[in-house]
């Protein structure tokens, strides 16, 4: 028995048009039915078959056909959109990496100041790479990435009903153990036959699924016998009028356009061989990747712009300064510079003092006894002064009252006591200094002509009463049991000047 010749695309298109003319003959219409084949339109659209008639309402009913033979089976066999899959995976991975970067940077683990920041950076990069790889492997079977040229083309333009006319030999199963390829016969094992069948069934089922989901009809054209309607197209527009209405032109009209100087651009760039021309765009995924890169770049720039700060212990600093002094001993410039202002912070080092005086064989007297004991000392010349011992110096530094007149409004000090003369106050400051209490003195007459004597105080001059109260509480706490019977209180100061 002679084998029937294979169906070609033109045969399938003509058979499908004759079938559709009969299929729609009972539909209400006015006038005759128009049949055409091999039409083309803007955007790379090709309609292998075209049917149109006018309805009683004065509208055009249009049905189009995509005819597919064994030679053009790639039009209906799905392919995985690797580019779209890769962009989706990149968008997901970059989003996770950006969120992780912000989180770890906010918690200080991804800061260049942190010793092991690079471990977190490597972890973020490896996590993003793993997410990308897993997504591409696990999601490739999703229908989102299964591209069928015929279905995607139908999505690009509007028609009332759309059909795929499929030759019965497009998805063929092996009917024997012998496979012929390019005139050479190959024997198939049972495993090869089973795999062939599974592959063909998977591809055919995917076509069926997408036809149902998108409202596309499926017509099987046989070599011997009438066509078989496998799926009828949806009567409702599943795309809700979102598709474009484009005009289709015959090959004769296309030839006339080409001869014209002002032929449309889509005709000049038409490429029917590119079956992947209807793939989805990736602008949203690219935008997500750009935002993630911007976040990462901003954090990196901010970290690199930080100036590294080195923190050293006080003992190490003193040793470094002494070494520097020895190295630069030939330089005649002074080692110490004193700020000419009363707003100096003499650091009150109030350490543990219990038993300290006895160990050193020294004696400090309570404030109540101080005035009487100080009278035994030779009284020196009285100055209008602010006095203090700079740290590391053995001589008392004295300033004129005018140095205090840059004070604005009321200020506050943590007062230790009031002494009648410069000598008394200087001795008290010196006496307290022997036990590590760094204090300063102020002539009260500098502020109020009605007040006499010198106020000895701890710390600095405060502009805010709250800060002064906190300082007083801090100093009292540092005194501990206060075996030296030192009394402290707050005093307000107001400059006495016109």
């Amino acid at each position: 028995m002679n084998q029937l010749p294979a169906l070609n695309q033109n045969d399938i298109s003509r058979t499908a048009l004759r079938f559709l003319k009969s299929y729609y003959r009972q539909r209400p219409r006015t006038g005759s039915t128009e049949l055409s084949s091999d039409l083309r339109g803007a955007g790379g659209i090709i309609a292998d078959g075209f049917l149109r008639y006018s309805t009683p309402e004065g509208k055009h009913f249009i049905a189009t056909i995509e005819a597919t033979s064994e030679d053009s089976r790639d039009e209906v066999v799905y392919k995985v959109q690797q580019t779209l899959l890769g962009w989706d995976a990149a968008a997901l991975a970059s989003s996770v990496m950006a969120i992780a970067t912000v989180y770890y940077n906010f918690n200080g683990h991804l800061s260049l100041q942190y010793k092991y920041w690079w471990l977190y950076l490597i972890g973020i990069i490896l996590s993003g790479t793993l997410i990308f790889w897993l997504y591409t492997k696990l999601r490739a079977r999703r229908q989102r990435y299964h591209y069928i040229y015929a279905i995607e083309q139908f999505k690009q333009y509007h028609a009332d009903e759309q059909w795929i006319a499929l030759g019965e030999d497009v998805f063929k199963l092996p009917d024997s153990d012998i496979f012929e390829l390019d005139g050479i016969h190959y024997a198939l094992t049972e495993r090869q036959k089973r795999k062939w069948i599974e592959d063909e069934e998977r591809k055919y089922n995917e076509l069926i699924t997408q036809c149902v989901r998108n409202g596309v009809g499926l017509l099987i054209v046989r070599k011997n016998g009438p066509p078989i309607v496998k799926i009828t197209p949806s009567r409702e527009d599943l795309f809700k009028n979102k598709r474009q209405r484009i005009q289709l032109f015959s090959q004769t009209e296309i030839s006339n356009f080409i001869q014209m100087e002002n032929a449309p651009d889509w005709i000049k760039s038409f490429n029917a061989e590119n079956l992947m021309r209807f793939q989805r765009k990736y602008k949203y995924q690219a935008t997500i990747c750009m935002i993630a890169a911007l976040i990462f770049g901003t954090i990196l720039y901010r970290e690199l712009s930080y100036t590294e700060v080195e923190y050293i212990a006080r003992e190490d600093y003193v040793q470094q300064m002494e070494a520097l002094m020895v190295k630069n001993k030939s330089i005649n410039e002074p080692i110490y510079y004193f700020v000419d202002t009363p707003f100096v912070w003499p650091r009150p080092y109030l350490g543990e003092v219990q038993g300290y005086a006895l160990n050193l064989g020294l004696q400090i007297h309570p404030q109540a006894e101080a005035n009487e004991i100080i009278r035994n000392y030779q009284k020196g010349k009285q100055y209008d002064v602010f006095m203090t011992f700079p740290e590391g110096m053995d001589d008392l530094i004295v300033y004129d009252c005018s140095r205090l007149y840059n004070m604005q409004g009321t200020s506050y000090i943590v007062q230790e006591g009031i002494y009648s003369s410069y000598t008394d106050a200087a001795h008290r400051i010196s006496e307290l200094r022997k036990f590590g209490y760094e204090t300063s003195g102020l002539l009260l007459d500098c502020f109020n002509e009605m007040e006499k004597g010198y106020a000895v105080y701890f710390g600095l001059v405060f502009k805010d009463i709250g800060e002064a109260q906190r300082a007083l509480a801090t100093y009292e706490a540092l005194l501990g049991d206060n075996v030296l019977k030192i009394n402290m209180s707050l005093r307000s100061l107001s400059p006495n000047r016109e």
Side-chain angles (χ1 to χ4, degrees):
M1 183 176 181
N2 295 330
Q3 186 176 3
L4 294 175
L7 291 168
N8 61 47
Q9 192 164 336
N10 291 332
D11 293 337
I12 295 173
S13 179
R14 286 193 294 269
T15 301
L17 283 173
R18 288 196 300 268
F19 172 81
L20 292 186
K21 183 178 181 180
S22 174
Y23 181 81
Y24 292 118
R25 70 179 184 274
Q26 301 299 330
R27 300 278 183 92
R29 72 190 66 208
T30 59
S32 61
T33 301
E34 176 186 351
L35 301 176
S36 301
S37 61
D38 199 13
L39 303 182
R40 302 193 176 189
I45 302 302
I46 299 176
D48 296 326
F50 178 86
L51 179 148
R52 180 170 63 187
Y53 62 84
S54 298
T55 65
E57 293 80 13
K59 297 181 180 179
H60 288 299
F61 176 87
I62 296 175
T64 56
I65 302 170
E66 176 63 37
T68 302
S69 64
E70 181 184 6
D71 295 336
S72 59
R73 74 190 301 263
D74 286 343
E75 296 176 348
V76 294
V77 174
Y78 79 87
K79 297 178 179 61
V80 177
Q81 298 184 81
Q82 296 292 346
T83 306
L84 177 62
L85 179 63
W87 273 109
D88 283 355
L92 176 62
S94 61
S95 298
V96 173
M97 291 171 65
I99 294 172
T101 300
V102 172
Y103 174 79
Y104 286 120
N105 181 258
F106 180 79
N107 288 277
H109 295 121
L110 203 59
S111 171
L112 296 182
Q113 313 300 320
Y114 181 60
K115 183 177 180 180
Y116 299 106
W117 65 269
W118 55 274
L119 288 177
Y120 286 89
L121 181 61
I122 292 175
I124 290 174
I125 294 175
L126 290 178
S127 298
T129 304
L130 179 62
I131 291 172
F132 181 91
W133 182 81
L134 287 176
Y135 190 94
T136 55
K137 294 300 180 183
L138 300 179
R139 303 287 288 183
R141 293 182 177 273
R142 298 283 296 181
Q143 192 180 78
R144 169 181 171 82
Y145 306 108
H146 290 179
Y147 175 92
I148 297 179
Y149 163 80
I151 298 294
E152 295 301 323
Q153 179 173 235
F154 284 149
K155 293 179 181 179
Q156 306 304 311
Y157 70 96
H158 173 79
D160 295 285
E161 293 187 5
Q162 295 166 316
W163 294 79
I164 292 177
L166 195 67
E168 65 176 352
D169 53 356
V170 172
F171 293 98
K172 59 183 180 181
L173 303 179
D175 52 5
S176 68
D177 294 338
I178 305 300
F179 172 66
E180 181 180 353
L181 179 64
D182 296 332
I184 302 176
H185 293 79
Y186 299 92
L188 297 176
T189 64
E190 287 299 321
R191 182 178 180 181
Q192 289 173 329
K193 288 178 62 177
R194 186 165 58 252
K195 186 177 185 304
W196 186 342
I197 293 172
E198 290 175 354
D199 288 345
E200 291 295 288
E201 287 181 345
R202 184 176 67 255
K203 295 170 184 176
Y204 179 68
N205 290 335
E206 180 65 25
L207 177 63
I208 294 291
T209 300
Q210 292 206 28
C211 283
V212 172
R213 181 165 295 182
N214 293 281
V216 176
L218 182 61
L219 183 68
I220 306 299
V221 177
R222 298 185 293 174
K223 298 178 182 178
N224 186 15
I228 299 174
V229 178
K230 191 70 175 179
I231 303 172
T232 58
S234 172
R235 293 288 185 93
E236 298 182 3
D237 185 6
L238 301 182
F239 298 94
K240 307 300 180 183
N241 295 319
K242 294 180 179 179
R243 296 178 297 178
Q244 300 182 50
R245 295 180 180 270
I246 65 171
Q247 186 175 0
L248 299 174
F249 301 94
S250 65
Q251 290 296 315
T252 302
E253 293 172 319
I254 295 293
S255 299
N256 293 335
F257 280 138
I258 294 175
Q259 296 175 3
M260 298 171 56
E261 295 182 358
N262 59 343
D265 292 336
W266 65 266
I267 293 180
K268 300 176 183 178
S269 60
F270 202 96
N271 182 12
E273 302 299 325
N274 180 18
L275 297 183
M276 302 298 291
R277 61 183 181 271
F278 301 119
Q279 288 190 91
R280 298 184 184 183
K281 306 302 180 184
Y282 325 114
K283 59 181 180 180
Y284 297 113
Q285 295 89 333
T287 301
I288 293 174
C289 292
M290 290 176 61
I291 293 174
L294 181 62
I295 293 173
F296 184 81
T298 300
I299 292 176
L300 180 62
Y301 173 79
R302 189 184 67 174
E303 288 297 327
L304 292 176
S305 64
Y306 284 155
T307 302
E308 185 175 358
V309 179
E310 181 181 1
Y311 298 94
I312 62 175
R314 174 178 174 79
E315 294 76 10
D316 296 336
Y317 174 78
V318 172
Q319 293 177 3
Q320 292 179 16
M321 292 299 101
E322 290 177 350
L324 185 63
M325 290 167 58
V326 173
K327 181 179 179 181
N328 299 328
K329 62 182 179 179
S330 60
I331 301 177
N332 295 324
E333 295 184 2
I335 301 300
Y336 297 98
Y337 296 88
F338 304 110
V339 180
D340 189 16
T341 174
F343 292 97
V344 178
W345 181 287
R347 183 177 59 84
Y349 181 73
L350 305 180
E352 179 62 41
V353 298
Q354 188 172 6
Y356 183 71
L358 295 176
N359 293 335
L360 295 179
L362 300 175
Q363 191 174 27
I364 189 167
H365 303 282
Q367 179 181 336
E369 306 174 13
N371 289 337
E372 182 178 354
I373 295 174
I374 289 174
R375 294 191 187 98
N376 297 324
Y377 288 83
Q378 181 181 1
K379 297 184 182 298
K381 181 181 178 182
Q382 178 166 307
Y383 297 92
D384 294 339
V385 295
F386 159 82
M387 64 186 80
T388 184
F389 270 107
E391 185 176 349
M393 298 295 290
D394 295 328
D395 296 327
L396 194 66
I397 301 300
V398 179
Y399 300 94
D400 187 83
C401 255
S402 62
R403 302 297 184 180
L404 304 175
Y405 290 165
N406 60 351
M407 297 171 59
Q408 301 291 332
T410 302
S411 301
Y412 305 90
I413 59 173
V414 179
Q415 180 177 283
E416 184 273 337
I418 300 177
Y419 300 88
S420 60
S421 67
Y422 168 83
T423 303
D424 294 347
H427 176 74
R428 185 61 171 173
I429 293 173
S430 178
E431 188 178 31
L432 291 172
R433 185 170 182 265
K434 293 177 182 179
F435 294 91
Y437 301 162
E438 297 181 7
T439 55
S440 302
L442 286 173
L443 179 64
L444 296 177
D445 188 45
C446 290
F447 300 93
N448 190 336
E449 296 178 354
M450 302 301 294
E451 292 192 77
K452 303 298 180 183
Y454 295 82
V456 176
Y457 66 95
F458 293 98
L460 53 73
V461 179
F462 297 97
K463 298 296 294 180
D464 181 70
I465 183 62
E467 293 181 4
Q469 290 173 341
R470 288 190 292 271
L472 174 61
T474 301
Y475 298 152
E476 288 178 340
L478 291 175
L479 282 175
D481 295 334
N482 195 13
V483 295
L484 300 178
K485 307 300 182 182
I486 296 176
N487 297 321
M488 287 186 289
S489 61
L490 292 184
R491 183 181 186 88
S492 62
L493 302 173
S494 299
N496 179 29
R497 61 187 185 277
E498 297 297 331

